[in-house]
Amino acid sequence: MSDNQQFDLIVIGAGSGGVRLARMSAQRGARVAVVESRYLGGTCVNVGCVPKKLFVYGSHVHDEMEDAAGYGWRIPMENVEFDWPTLVANKNTEIERLNGIYGRMLTNAGVSIIEGTARLTSANTVVVGDQTYTAKYITIATGSWPVIPEIPGKDCILTSNDMFYLPQLPKHAVVWGGGYIAVEFAGILAGLGVETTLIYRGELFLRGFDDDIRRFVHQEMSKKGINLRFGVTIDSVETSGTHYRVNLSDGNSLETGLVMAATGRRALTEGLGLAELGVQFDDAGNIAVNDHFETSVPGITALGDVIGTPQLTPVALGQGMVLSRRLFGDGQGEMDYSAIPTAVFCHPNIGTVGLNEAEAKDAGHTLSIFRSEFRPMRHTLSGRNERCLMKLVVDADTDRVLGAHMVGPDAGEIIQGMAVAIKAGATKAQFDATLGIHPTSAEEFVTMREPVA
């Protein structure tokens, strides 16, 4: 075996976590290779956060043109046209640019890129095509893949992956699911002029988010004309001419031009040969690891979506940093999963960090709740009936702010700053002592004085 087939570390999967691990390890002097069968950058760059955010930006433009009238701009809306293929093509150009950046980051760090599908034949051997490679450590960073429930007509249903390359927009679409991907795509489609129905089997979508946030988003999304159907699911889908008939569990049916399922994701491990080597999985099909990302087989580690931790790019990046330090640094480091900030790019946006009210109560905290609802300043002239919600969850005994939650424009941008404060253990008194930036929505987080509960 030649020297260029022997490494200190082989990373299988060139997503956010795998690329970060590979780069940091190479910079620490390790000989590193990355094996990728699909595209550099993983889900986030190619069929996840990045293209989705670009679509979100595009879906806001129509509202912004309407809002312009309140500021004196006369835009003849009857002449406005939207061209979906242009958005998709421009998105593709940007993704190709990012793919190139990821490739250069790896090669500039001295990482070897191996294109193809990997299969492990031992704890330190990887086969790609007709080539065999060895390494002291092998890390699985293959991410996750959308799952469609096994129902009649499953082949008619698209996933979020497909939506990024859709050749044309339908007049009507059905989105199936209640998580952030379903909610975001419902907003994107509706914002681009598609009559959109969201179907979810639960009583209210966005399970795991603060209940005030969930109810408020329900209210605001309804204003956007999105048809929200809760307590019902899809039993089957049938082809009906050029459209589809969606048969629901309550006996009703819908005619639509597109059905998209955002009903969950599963760890992408098929064909890797892990089970044959004795790698253990949890009940959900994720690779089981300890706090140091070690699997049940010495020498094989795993990180990112494939291990069932929060499916967020910054989580995978943080894991890559920790694992690189443990393998090729001082051997120290732990991943901290507390107070992870996140955003949902629905209409309007959600930003959240820390404990929600229910979680704080379950943890035994005595709470003071601060909440404010108002019309954002930009809509005082636009006339749009869109409102903003901000909420702080505070431990009444220690005065520590346990969680900050927001629905409104730029929620993700605002909550990022709140995350620093909460991670640092800031108290409500310190929030109160902080001067606001006026006039902004963000200042409301430091001007809420009276608890509502």
Side-chain angles (χ1 to χ4, degrees):
M1 184 176 294
S2 64
D3 287 345
N4 62 3
Q5 291 177 288
Q6 300 178 50
F7 300 92
D8 299 309
L9 170 68
I10 295 176
V11 181
I12 302 176
S16 300
V19 168
R20 179 61 61 88
L21 169 63
R23 288 178 55 220
M24 294 300 102
S25 298
Q27 289 174 9
R28 286 187 161 102
R31 294 195 63 198
V32 183
V34 168
V35 184
E36 177 54 59
S37 62
R38 191 171 285 106
Y39 32 53
L40 297 178
T43 293
C44 178
V45 168
N46 295 276
V47 288
C49 341
V50 173
K52 176 190 66 185
K53 188 78 179 284
L54 295 175
F55 282 5
V56 168
Y57 284 139
S59 67
H60 278 284
V61 173
H62 188 275
D63 282 358
E64 290 167 354
M65 288 190 294
E66 287 185 339
D67 293 348
Y71 291 90
W73 293 90
R74 299 290 179 257
I75 300 176
M77 298 301 293
E78 65 273 11
N79 296 328
V80 171
E81 294 183 357
F82 169 68
D83 186 62
W84 169 254
T86 297
L87 176 58
V88 173
N90 290 342
K91 178 270 299 179
N92 291 344
T93 299
E94 173 60 10
I95 299 312
E96 290 169 6
R97 184 184 74 85
L98 294 175
N99 291 151
I101 289 174
Y102 269 73
R104 289 190 293 275
M105 285 194 304
L106 288 170
T107 55
N108 289 344
V111 176
S112 299
I113 302 174
I114 302 169
E115 296 182 5
T117 300
R119 178 172 57 87
L120 278 70
T121 56
S122 77
N124 68 342
T125 307
V126 176
V127 175
V128 183
D130 60 358
Q131 298 295 311
T132 299
Y133 304 88
T134 63
K136 181 178 181 180
Y137 302 108
I138 297 173
T139 298
I140 311 301
T142 46
S144 61
W145 204 250
V147 175
I148 302 175
E150 295 292 337
I151 63 169
K154 173 185 176 181
D155 292 343
C156 301
I157 301 174
L158 304 181
T159 69
S160 56
N161 288 1
D162 305 307
M163 297 297 291
F164 294 111
Y165 298 95
L166 201 64
Q168 61 186 16
L169 283 180
K171 292 183 178 179
H172 181 274
V174 170
V175 178
W176 184 17
Y180 69 93
I181 296 175
V183 171
E184 288 171 333
F185 269 100
I188 289 169
L189 289 166
L192 296 176
V194 178
E195 184 182 343
T196 304
T197 299
L198 185 145
I199 292 171
Y200 178 52
R201 59 189 172 87
E203 294 182 2
L204 189 61
F205 52 26
L206 296 172
R207 184 165 53 91
F209 286 81
D210 189 272
D211 286 342
D212 281 341
I213 297 294
R214 300 168 71 197
R215 288 189 288 265
F216 192 82
V217 172
H218 178 193
Q219 167 188 312
E220 293 300 309
M221 286 185 67
S222 296
K223 293 178 184 177
K224 301 288 185 181
I226 300 172
N227 181 21
L228 301 173
R229 301 280 299 273
F230 298 133
V232 66
T233 192
I234 297 178
D235 282 346
S236 64
V237 178
E238 305 170 28
T239 302
S240 178
T242 59
H243 288 69
Y244 303 101
R245 181 185 298 276
V246 180
N247 300 310
L248 304 178
S249 58
D250 62 3
N252 292 313
S253 63
L254 296 171
E255 294 286 333
T256 186
L258 179 150
V259 185
M260 173 199 159
T263 46
R265 298 176 67 88
R266 182 176 298 133
L268 191 58
T269 59
E270 186 176 357
L272 290 173
L274 299 178
E276 293 84 345
L277 295 179
V279 173
Q280 295 181 0
F281 296 80
D282 65 19
D283 292 341
N286 303 307
I287 297 175
V289 298
N290 61 18
D291 290 343
H292 300 158
F293 308 106
E294 297 167 335
T295 72
S296 54
V297 176
I300 300 178
T301 57
L303 56 73
D305 290 1
V306 79
I307 65 173
T309 46
Q311 296 187 355
L312 299 167
T313 295
V315 170
L317 293 173
Q319 292 172 340
M321 296 290 286
V322 170
L323 183 53
S324 175
R325 180 181 172 187
R326 296 199 68 86
L327 295 180
F328 303 107
D330 60 9
Q332 303 299 308
E334 301 285 342
M335 187 68 188
D336 181 4
Y337 296 102
S338 65
I340 298 173
T342 189
V344 182
F345 297 107
C346 51
H347 292 207
N349 293 179
I350 300 170
T352 182
V353 61
L355 300 180
N356 63 45
E357 186 174 347
E359 289 171 336
K361 286 179 179 177
D362 289 344
H365 295 280
T366 301
L367 301 179
S368 292
I369 302 297
F370 297 81
R371 185 171 57 242
S372 179
E373 180 185 331
F374 55 93
R375 174 185 276 191
M377 185 177 179
R378 63 178 296 175
H379 294 313
T380 58
L381 294 190
S382 76
R384 184 169 299 279
N385 183 25
E386 183 177 299
R387 297 185 67 77
C388 180
L389 174 70
M390 292 184 172
K391 179 175 180 177
L392 291 176
V393 178
V394 179
D395 185 300
D397 296 326
T398 65
D399 198 43
R400 181 171 178 174
V401 179
L402 303 174
H405 312 278
M406 175 180 174
V407 180
D410 301 317
E413 306 289 345
I414 293 170
I415 286 295
Q416 181 66 79
M418 295 297 103
V420 176
I422 289 175
K423 197 72 173 178
T427 64
K428 183 61 171 62
Q430 290 170 324
F431 271 60
D432 294 344
T434 301
L435 297 180
I437 301 173
H438 185 73
T440 65
S441 293
E443 69 178 316
E444 196 73 14
F445 273 121
V446 297
T447 59
M448 290 186 283
R449 293 289 187 265
E450 297 298 325
V452 297

